[in-house]
Amino acid sequence: MSNLENYKKAFLSSFPIKEEQLEKLEYNQIDEWDSIGHMGLMSELEEKFKITLSTDDIVDFSSFQKGKKILKKYKINI
Amino acid sequence: MLKSKVVLITGSSRGIGKAILERFAVESFDIIACSNKKNKIHIEYCKRLSKKNKIKIYPLFFNFNSKDEINEGVENIKKLNVKINYLINNAGIITTSSFQMTKESDLNEIFKVNFLNQFYFTQHISKMMIRTDGSKGIVNISSSSGLDNDTGRSVYSASKASMISISSTLSKELSAFKIRVNTIAPGLIETDMMRNNTKEEYIEKMLNRVSLKRIGKPEEIANVVFFLCSDLSSYINGQTIRVDGGMH
């Protein structure tokens, strides 16, 4: 599975959304992506990509697009 | 074959932590036994305990006064590739000095070890625990000082009170992931740390406030930790339980 597929899968397993919604998805845009949902998503991404996200990056992770840039810092190219 | 539950214990090489380690070993948990300094005696002890109880014990060493060491510790925990059911935040240090005689360095050190880095470590481990199936929880070892604010223990008491406060918040936030969070506030317990940091006259004075008129044993704290990590306590969340022989 490619990094992009894994990345999308983390979102799709964390929130009840469709793949078409992902590209423009932002934090707090849907009820489920609140601070609690965010923890679940971060946990999922850490597991999938075998990384440990810093707290600053977790706080900055504000959208589907921003997340791609953050993961680049961990050598995960999406 | 049923998979063993996994408990991560910090400060596991002596005192209350060691008693917790022994208690969970007897109960057939696999254990990540963390302590601050590499210690051959502790490693050998873990091996014997592991063999005797037919469980896995992973001794890991990192110091709570160093964020770098904690980061390394977290990476080593991840490498074990186990699902953590329970986290016991037991590591801690103590200092005794009156308010005006407390050095800034002690203030920083105590808060760093007893609160700030516990907070940081728990951020990492709780993220891992989200993905664990089955029962799970966090037990923070605070102190009766965190509730009673004993004379001469302003910084220590404040750091332990902070743990009580954060436990209460965490119990609410992590309940979404079915992680229960509780705190134990031990009173006067027979450990090296207590003996080395408490004057005999102070111990006598404290004992006068204890209904049972004796010092507690580390195993008596371990029993309550185990209770809070068992399904017997499945409806207990966000509580601070005093284990102090009836201190008044």
Side-chain angles (χ1 to χ4, degrees):
Chain A
M1 200 178 280
S2 72
N3 282 346
L4 178 62
E5 283 169 326
N6 260 327
Y7 184 62
K8 284 182 175 177
K9 209 173 170 189
F11 278 80
L12 293 171
S13 63
S14 300
F15 310 126
I17 47 168
K18 290 180 180 153
E19 197 172 337
E20 305 87 80
Q21 292 173 265
L22 288 176
E23 291 298 323
K24 290 182 180 171
L25 188 67
E26 290 183 1
Y27 179 70
N28 266 340
Q29 195 184 33
I30 54 170
D31 289 347
E32 291 79 5
W33 196 359
D34 58 3
S35 60
I36 303 292
H38 195 59
M39 275 183 73
L41 174 64
M42 296 301 107
S43 172
E44 197 68 31
L45 289 168
E46 287 196 351
E47 168 84 348
K48 280 208 182 323
F49 294 110
K50 304 286 173 219
I51 52 171
T52 302
L53 292 159
S54 75
T55 309
D56 286 348
D57 286 333
I58 288 172
V59 174
D60 285 345
F61 202 113
S62 55
S63 68
F64 182 81
Q65 297 302 341
K66 182 74 194 252
K68 289 182 186 176
K69 287 181 192 160
I70 287 173
L71 289 189
K72 231 177 214 174
K73 290 182 8 189
Y74 297 84
K75 299 185 177 120
I76 311 291
N77 290 309
I78 293 168
Chain B
M1 191 180 156
L2 277 176
K3 233 177 159 185
S4 299
K5 284 183 183 162
V6 177
V7 60
L8 188 163
I9 307 163
T10 67
S12 69
S13 65
R14 61 196 181 122
I16 291 171
K18 193 173 177 189
I20 298 170
L21 171 70
E22 288 165 357
R23 186 69 167 92
F24 279 86
V26 169
E27 300 292 343
S28 301
F29 275 67
D30 286 338
I31 303 169
I32 304 170
C34 308
S35 43
N36 64 347
K37 274 185 229 153
K38 196 152 196 170
N39 174 339
K40 276 185 186 169
I41 296 171
H42 182 57
I43 293 173
E44 284 306 316
Y45 178 73
C46 286
K47 274 184 193 164
R48 288 199 303 276
L49 203 60
S50 161
K51 199 173 167 188
K52 187 177 165 193
N53 295 286
K54 299 186 179 71
I55 55 166
K56 288 178 189 144
I57 301 183
Y58 311 97
L60 292 178
F61 302 93
F62 51 93
N63 199 321
F64 265 85
N65 69 13
S66 158
K67 219 167 166 181
D68 288 343
E69 284 197 31
I70 292 176
N71 285 338
E72 205 182 315
V74 168
E75 290 311 317
N76 287 330
I77 290 165
K78 285 191 169 183
K79 279 180 198 159
L80 296 174
N81 206 18
V82 294
K83 298 281 186 194
I84 298 167
N85 295 86
Y86 293 100
L87 164 64
I88 318 299
N89 280 318
N90 169 68
I93 53 174
I94 191 168
T95 184
T96 306
S97 58
S98 66
F99 176 72
Q100 291 292 358
M101 301 289 281
T102 301
K103 292 180 194 166
E104 192 183 349
S105 56
D106 284 344
L107 177 64
N108 290 334
E109 180 80 355
I110 290 273
F111 258 86
K112 192 158 74 170
V113 174
N114 287 4
F115 179 63
L116 298 173
N117 284 342
Q118 307 269 349
F119 186 111
Y120 180 68
F121 184 66
T122 305
Q123 276 184 327
H124 283 298
I125 303 303
S126 62
K127 248 188 295 160
M128 294 168 69
M129 289 170 69
I130 287 172
R131 300 186 298 270
T132 303
D133 294 325
S135 57
K136 46 194 176 177
I138 297 173
V139 178
N140 291 319
I141 307 298
S142 176
S143 165
S144 58
S145 276
L147 296 162
D148 300 342
N149 313 305
D150 301 325
T151 304
R153 296 243 161 105
S154 56
V155 189
Y156 177 74
S157 299
S159 70
K160 290 296 187 180
S162 301
M163 282 309 283
I164 292 171
S165 169
I166 195 67
S167 299
S168 178
T169 307
L170 267 184
S171 71
K172 292 164 191 152
E173 294 193 5
L174 295 180
S175 62
F177 304 103
K178 297 186 170 47
I179 299 174
R180 294 185 293 119
V181 185
N182 290 293
T183 309
I184 295 177
L188 204 57
I189 305 298
E190 189 61 69
T191 63
D192 290 347
M193 193 162 103
M194 186 278 282
R195 286 286 176 194
N196 295 339
N197 291 281
T198 317
K199 286 182 185 161
E200 200 55 47
E201 63 196 64
Y202 187 76
I203 293 174
E204 287 303 316
K205 211 170 139 188
M206 290 269 286
L207 274 176
N208 283 330
R209 292 171 48 207
V210 177
S211 309
L212 292 179
K213 299 293 174 208
R214 67 172 176 83
I215 296 173
K217 298 174 201 154
E219 304 82 62
E220 290 173 309
I221 304 300
N223 287 340
V224 184
V225 174
F226 178 71
F227 166 71
L228 288 174
C229 295
S230 75
D231 290 338
L232 294 171
S233 63
S234 54
Y235 202 50
I236 298 179
N237 191 29
Q239 301 304 307
T240 298
I241 300 178
R242 296 188 70 121
V243 186
D244 61 5
M247 207 178 254
H248 52 85

